[in-house]
């Protein structure tokens, strides 16, 4: 049962439904004035749950778009097609694949949901002061609430920074007319990484939570965010600290690789010894539906990943796999990139023709799709609203395998030897059934990241940060012939939604040449 985990408890009653200025406003849950309501630990708990809620919305949230964090960034890489029924199915996804979004037809959900999360995290910090002034929480409790809210805010800004780059970045909620200075991507990085360092240094983040409270943000999550940001920014002045954080996690003994790669992606594999952070979803009594997309419960992204018009062969080991909308075809060049005998291949590039049949595979179909988040008939059987939004698949955000690969790369970046770094890489390869390398380069590590983390939202940012995007993300490298535009620095970030440009009264500058 996952129903008791923090992000899935009470947020339906607190959910917001607008993506415009209203996401900066607060409506009291009673007729009481806000400063009178938020005076107890119970009310502060409600505010904290509300701050966690937008994590759950990324797959289908306040702007009614499909924008699961792993899903959308993979389309901008070389390892996943948006496909669907046709080249007009979910047009913003099709345009993202070709770096051709417009400010009108673009990804608005991550922008809106992230700023909702920022606003709610800021609220918790304000309300914690009020509750503490009333003497209703201890100093230790106050520090815990503040640490969680601050790290949540960092997580939301991480998404804004990765996808949009040049964004408003503020740590106190804005007064009317809700306008803040737009910072450059470098300025956002500097502000957020300094905040993250201060959060970590405070010592107020917990290392872990009991099983029924998994989903809270933790110090290991902070470490993983830190390493990701530093590596994307190519901030060589912080490589050593990021490496130390990775090695602290490795040496702690708290994490280990799951013996069987497939087990990671089963419901029984959620929050296992490899998991550092997941976004929780559940089907038990899930009330999330098409008329209640912000309601508590399940996920929709498994239905999008499911193979289109597909039926498993009777008696097949994967007979539980259900048909979906076919938005995660794995290109043939990605299938071919796996080494012979790599046990991960089946669960990254799942061979549909080997296990079933389809009478309408859809646009861009290759015969392969991502298994990791495939919809299963058993994974939404206990939902109480709409089956499509009722899947219990948790989104795995950070796994220990990534910690090992981060450590290997950071070791090389700080003067370590290829043989030292190979110890981390070879541990990942051993689980995959592959021979040890014994010595690695940064290209070897990038290749290992591709195959270990395929479909998990890392590849695009890896190509950008390593300077390989312009040579890899080209029409010539797309075996399907669907990519018609070559990536360039001008399209590194997504366009800022035009509605928000307009609402900002001239203070927001559009990204690139959009």
């Amino acid at each position: 049962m996952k129903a008791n985990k923090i992000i899935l408890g009470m947020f339906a009653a607190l959910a917001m439904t607008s993506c415009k200025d209203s996401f900066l406003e607060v409506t009291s849950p009673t007729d009481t004035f806000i400063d009178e309501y938020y005076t107890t630990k119970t009310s502060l708990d409600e505010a904290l749950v509300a701050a966690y809620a937008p994590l759950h919305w990324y797959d289908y949230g306040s702007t009614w778009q499909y924008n699961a964090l792993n899903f959308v960034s993979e389309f901008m890489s070389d390892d996943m097609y948006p496909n669907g029924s046709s080249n007009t199915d979910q047009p913003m996804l099709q345009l993202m694949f070709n770096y051709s979004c417009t400010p009108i037809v673009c990804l608005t959900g991550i922008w809106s949901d992230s700023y909702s999360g920022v606003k709610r995290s800021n609220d918790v910090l304000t309300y914690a002061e009020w509750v503490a002034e009333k003497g209703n929480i201890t100093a230790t409790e106050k520090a815990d609430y503040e640490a969680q809210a601050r790290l949540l805010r960092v997580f939301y800004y991480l998404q804004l920074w990765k996808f949009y780059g040049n964004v408003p970045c503020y740590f106190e909620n804005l007064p009317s007319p809700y306008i803040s200075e737009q910072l450059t991507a470098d300025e956002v990085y500097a502000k957020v990484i300094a905040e993250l360092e201060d959060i970590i240094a405070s010592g107020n983040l917990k290392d872990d939570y009991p099983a029924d409270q998994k989903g809270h943000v933790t110090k290991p999550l902070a470490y993983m965010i830190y390493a990701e940001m530093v590596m994307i920014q190519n901030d060589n002045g912080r490589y050593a600290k990021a490496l130390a954080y990775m090695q602290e996690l490795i040496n702690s003994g708290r994490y280990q690789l799951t013996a069987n790669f497939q087990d990671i992606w089963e419901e029984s594999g959620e929050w296992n010894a490899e998991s550092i952070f997941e976004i929780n979803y559940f089907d038990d009594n899930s009330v999330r539906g098409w008329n209640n997309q912000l309601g508590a419960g399940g996920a929709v992204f498994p239905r999008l990943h499911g193979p289109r018009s597909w039926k498993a062969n009777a008696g097949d080991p994967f007979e539980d796999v259900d048909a979906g909308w076919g938005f995660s075809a794995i290109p043939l060049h990605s299938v071919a990139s796996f080494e012979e005998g790599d046990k991960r291949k089946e669960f990254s590039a799942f061979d549909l023709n080997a296990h079933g049949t389809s009478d309408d595979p859809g646009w861009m179909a290759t015969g392969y799709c991502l298994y990791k988040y495939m919809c299963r008939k058993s994974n939404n059987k206990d939902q109480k609203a709409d089956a499509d939004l009722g899947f219990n698949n948790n989104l795995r955000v950070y796994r220990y395998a990534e910690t090992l690969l981060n450590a290997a790369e950071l070791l090389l970046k700080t003067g370590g030897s290829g043989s030292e770094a190979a110890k981390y890489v070879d541990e990942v390869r051993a689980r995959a059934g592959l021979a040890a390398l014994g010595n690695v380069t940064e290209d070897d590590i990038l290749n290992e990241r591709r195959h270990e983390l395929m479909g998990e939202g890392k590849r695009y940012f890896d190509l950008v940060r390593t300077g390989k995007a312009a040579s890899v993300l080209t029409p010539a490298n797309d075996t399907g012939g669907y990519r018609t535009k070559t990536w360039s620095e001008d399209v590194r970030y997504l366009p800022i939604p035009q509605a928000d440009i307009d609402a900002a009264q001239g203070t927001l500058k559009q990204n690139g040449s959009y």
Side-chain angles (χ1 to χ4, degrees), residues 285-333:
N285 297 313
S286 169
V287 297
R288 197 175 188 208
W290 295 116
N291 294 320
N292 183 24
Q293 79 274 18
L294 305 187
V300 69
F301 59 84
R303 184 66 83 195
L304 279 87
H305 283 299
R308 188 174 181 82
S309 300
W310 185 82
K311 184 176 181 179
N313 297 326
D316 189 90
F318 298 98
E319 192 172 10
D320 189 42
V321 171
D322 200 7
W325 301 332
F327 281 93
S328 66
I330 304 300
L332 294 180
H333 57 257

Side-chain angles (χ1 to χ4, degrees), residues 16 57 214 249 318 346 388:
M16 294 180 295
W57 304 347
K214 295 289 189 180
L249 294 179
F318 298 98
E346 179 94 56
D388 290 333

Side-chain angles (χ1 to χ4, degrees), residues 189 230-231 233-241 410 413-414:
Y189 171 79
V230 166
M231 292 166 74
Q233 184 70 10
N234 291 310
D235 185 351
N236 56 22
R238 288 185 166 93
Y239 286 154
K241 181 179 286 189
L410 290 164
K413 290 180 182 298
T414 53

Side-chain angles (χ1 to χ4, degrees), residues 431-472:
R431 195 253 304 270
L434 300 175
L437 296 175
N439 191 68
V440 295
T441 65
E442 289 195 26
D443 281 347
D444 292 328
I445 298 168
L446 184 66
N447 184 60
E448 204 61 43
R449 288 177 65 89
R450 178 185 192 182
H451 297 106
E452 176 68 27
L453 305 171
M454 188 174 286
E456 297 179 55
K458 315 291 181 176
R459 174 70 171 170
Y460 174 73
F461 300 106
D462 281 349
L463 291 173
V464 171
R465 68 181 177 81
T466 58
K468 298 180 182 295
S471 60
V472 173

Side-chain angles (χ1 to χ4, degrees), residues 44-336:
L44 187 56
D45 283 336
E46 292 174 358
L48 182 62
V49 171
Y52 275 93
L55 296 177
H56 188 252
W57 304 347
Y58 279 124
D59 76 324
Y60 184 70
S62 59
T63 62
W64 298 276
Q65 284 190 347
Y66 303 116
N67 42 233
L69 297 176
N70 68 313
F71 187 62
V72 292
S73 57
E74 288 296 319
F75 296 152
M76 295 188 288
S77 79
D78 55 338
D79 279 342
M80 188 180 286
Y81 288 148
N83 49 315
S85 64
S86 70
N87 62 0
T88 59
D89 196 352
Q90 298 302 310
M92 77 282 187
L93 302 180
Q94 308 292 340
L95 293 175
M96 283 178 65
F97 171 76
N98 260 321
Y99 318 116
S100 301
C101 284
T102 73
I104 301 297
V105 185
C106 64
L107 197 69
T108 61
I110 289 178
W111 176 278
S112 186
D113 295 340
S114 295
Y115 275 118
S116 294
V118 167
K119 186 266 173 196
R120 289 165 173 232
S121 300
N122 288 342
D123 281 343
V124 173
L125 297 172
T126 298
Y127 303 156
E129 291 286 349
W130 296 352
V131 177
E133 287 172 2
K134 296 290 186 180
N136 291 330
I137 53 173
T138 66
T140 300
E141 289 172 329
K142 178 173 180 286
D144 178 46
Y145 282 104
E146 289 175 336
Q148 289 187 66
R150 291 173 71 192
L151 185 53
L152 277 171
R153 184 173 61 190
V154 164
F155 185 88
Y156 293 127
Y157 274 126
L158 169 65
Q159 312 316 320
L160 290 162
W161 173 69
K162 287 198 304 183
F163 285 97
Y164 301 98
N166 312 296
V167 301
C169 182
Y170 48 88
F171 290 167
E172 294 183 3
N173 284 337
L174 306 172
S176 180
Y178 315 117
I179 293 173
S180 177
E181 177 187 8
Q182 182 181 24
L183 303 184
T184 67
D186 287 346
E187 290 170 336
V188 173
Y189 171 79
K191 185 171 182 176
V192 174
I193 203 72
E195 169 73 352
L196 183 54
E197 288 174 335
D198 192 61
I199 297 167
I200 293 170
S202 74
N204 294 325
L205 289 169
K206 294 181 179 179
D207 285 326
D208 201 3
Y209 285 85
D212 64 346
Q213 296 179 41
K214 295 289 189 180
H216 284 270
V217 295
T218 61
K219 184 169 71 173
L221 169 62
Y223 285 179
M224 294 301 292
I225 294 174
Y226 189 87
E228 181 177 12
M229 291 190 70
V230 166
M231 292 166 74
I232 289 176
Q233 184 70 10
N234 291 310
D235 185 351
N236 56 22
R238 288 185 166 93
Y239 286 154
K241 181 179 286 189
L243 173 60
Y245 288 155
M246 297 299 96
Q247 291 179 325
E248 182 180 330
L249 294 179
I250 293 167
N251 295 334
S252 71
R254 290 181 48 234
Y255 299 101
Q256 60 185 16
L257 296 179
T258 302
N260 184 353
F261 189 74
Q262 179 183 356
D263 291 346
I264 300 169
W265 313 105
E266 309 301 326
E267 185 180 15
S268 59
E270 293 174 351
W271 291 110
N272 63 22
E274 184 167 345
S275 179
I276 293 177
F277 188 68
E278 302 181 11
I279 296 175
N280 291 323
Y281 293 92
F282 64 91
D283 67 327
D284 295 346
N285 297 313
S286 169
V287 297
R288 197 175 188 208
W290 295 116
N291 294 320
N292 183 24
Q293 79 274 18
L294 305 187
V300 69
F301 59 84
R303 184 66 83 195
L304 279 87
H305 283 299
R308 188 174 181 82
S309 300
W310 185 82
K311 184 176 181 179
N313 297 326
D316 189 90
F318 298 98
E319 192 172 10
D320 189 42
V321 171
D322 200 7
W325 301 332
F327 281 93
S328 66
I330 304 300
L332 294 180
H333 57 257
S334 301
V335 178

